[in-house]
Amino acid sequence: MRVARINAGREVTRIVDPNGRFVIIGAGPAGIAAAITAVREGLPAERITIIEKGARHDDSRVSGFGGAGANSDGKLVLESEIGGELAEHVADMPGLLEEVLELYLGFLGPEESARYEQMRGRFRDAQASEQIQRACIRAGLEYVPADIIPLGTATCRRIVDRWYDFLSERGVQVLLGTRVTAFDAADDGGWLLHCEGGEELCARWLLAAPGRSGHQFLVGALEGLGLDSVHGPIDIGVRVETDARVTEALTEATWEFKLRGLIEGERIRTFCVCPQGSVLVERYGPDLLAVNGQTRLESPTGRTNFAVLHTINLDDPCDCPNEYAQLYIRTASILGARNPIVQTWPKFERRRRSRAGDLGYAFIRPTLERALPGDIRLALNAKSCRVIEAFMRALDSDGLLEGLCSNRTLLYAPEAKLYTVRPARLSEHLESERAELFFAGDGSGLTRGLVQASASGIVAGREVARRATR
Ligand SMILES: Cc1cc2nc3c(=O)[nH]c(=O)nc-3n(C[C@H](O)[C@H](O)[C@H](O)COP(=O)(O)OP(=O)(O)OC[C@H]3O[C@@H](n4cnc5c(N)ncnc54)[C@H](O)[C@@H]3O)c2cc1C
């Protein structure tokens, strides 16, 4: 039901549903999983709305239908302990991982689905893991084995398109290009959402799943409701691009080698490995550009890229760790004139900025052509640079990434993961202290990847459907 009313001198359209609506903020993997689960569990589709600030296909790479997930590399990491802390909140994490797998593979044809299904365990071979672990022991590092199914960007996008068809064919309302600016408790119970264009929506159940790009929105929402929040650590560093032959032994065995170090007491790790991939730009705002990576299995590049991330826990008295990470992103963007910067390993090591000439002499060319040569040390703090340098040398060890610290390797900046604030207390159904207000995905602070973000959406969507249909 639509009601027109006057608010502060202008007409506002308020969407009210007498039966009670389930409204989801954010059409990323978490929000979509919640909607699909709610439909499958019997909540009538026409009582569900998803509000998404981006377009159906959005060039920001972090917004639009599918969220950051639609443009992701599509690596499904089927481990309870990797990609988030959801296992600390919910029961039966192994069962949830199976459901997530079905949510992705179930939207492919039977043959393709079976092909991916057969990959289970392929990258978690015990003998290979043992060998890598031994090489890590010699290098002073730690290897974390993980069961991974690499879908690749194109397949991931196809699945997201089929999710869209599933929801729209059944009558779920998907409001694209609509930014939620705030929400508060409605006078008559439930929640009232305010959208940028002046629309208001009444929700009986509200799920906030705005992902990492919704950080500012989430900070405001939690403050507005007076909910206690906690900050997670931040991850800042560089994206490394090298000859695929340098990483071949590890990517063949593991696809995504997850290696960790503790250097000067600081935690550092490899993350988001893209074998045969390319480096790309992700856009969090007009002047907030970061680098990331993707693998298009159908067009191998002969390079591998991966993030090297320094985890920093900025606790008391710092109350805005994300701003610290954003400062790094902004500084690097200033140096690159609103472009990412790239530096050859030899120049980084020698504390000299890279110039166009160095890139010409490097043994590989950057896959991200718009990255401009520069000096990462002018943007990234000295401690992170030191720790990254020592970690890179440890990676360049017998049985690991021999040949990494060479003129065959490029470093890109800024690479950062903006984890967001999260409500201090969430129930096993991911409901906050305020009744009927749920949080899921990277915006809940509990997840950092596709599988756990989707799993959290399943948990919240199922609970809402249970309450709505009882
Ligand atoms: C390039 C790239 C590659 C990646 N590769 C992988 C990978 O291979 N494997 C893996 O596990 N993870 C990967 N990730 C991470 C993964 O994509 C995220 O963890 C996942 O998408 C989180 O899902 P989400 O639903 O919580 O948030 P998101 O996917 O971020 O979606 C949130 C949505 O909410 C919308 N939104 C935010 N605020 C508002 C608002 N106020 N009003 C309306 N809408 C709003 C956003 O526009 C966005 O579409 C990758 C990420 C990127 C960027």
Side-chain angles (χ1 to χ4, degrees), residues 242-252 275-276 301-304 363-364 400-404 408:
T242 192
D243 191 313
R245 286 167 290 194
V246 172
T247 62
E248 197 170 38
L250 289 199
T251 51
E252 283 282 306
Q276 296 291 342
T301 58
R303 325 278 167 73
T304 294
F363 296 149
I364 64 167
L400 297 176
L401 305 178
E402 285 172 86
L404 181 68
R408 225 168 261 283

Side-chain angles (χ1 to χ4, degrees), residues 38-39 43 45 110 134 141 224 238 267 329 335 346-347 352 361 453 460:
V39 171
L43 180 60
R134 282 176 186 277
L141 301 176
V238 293
R267 286 181 294 150
I329 295 179
L335 295 175
K347 285 288 165 135
R352 296 280 181 272
Y361 286 122

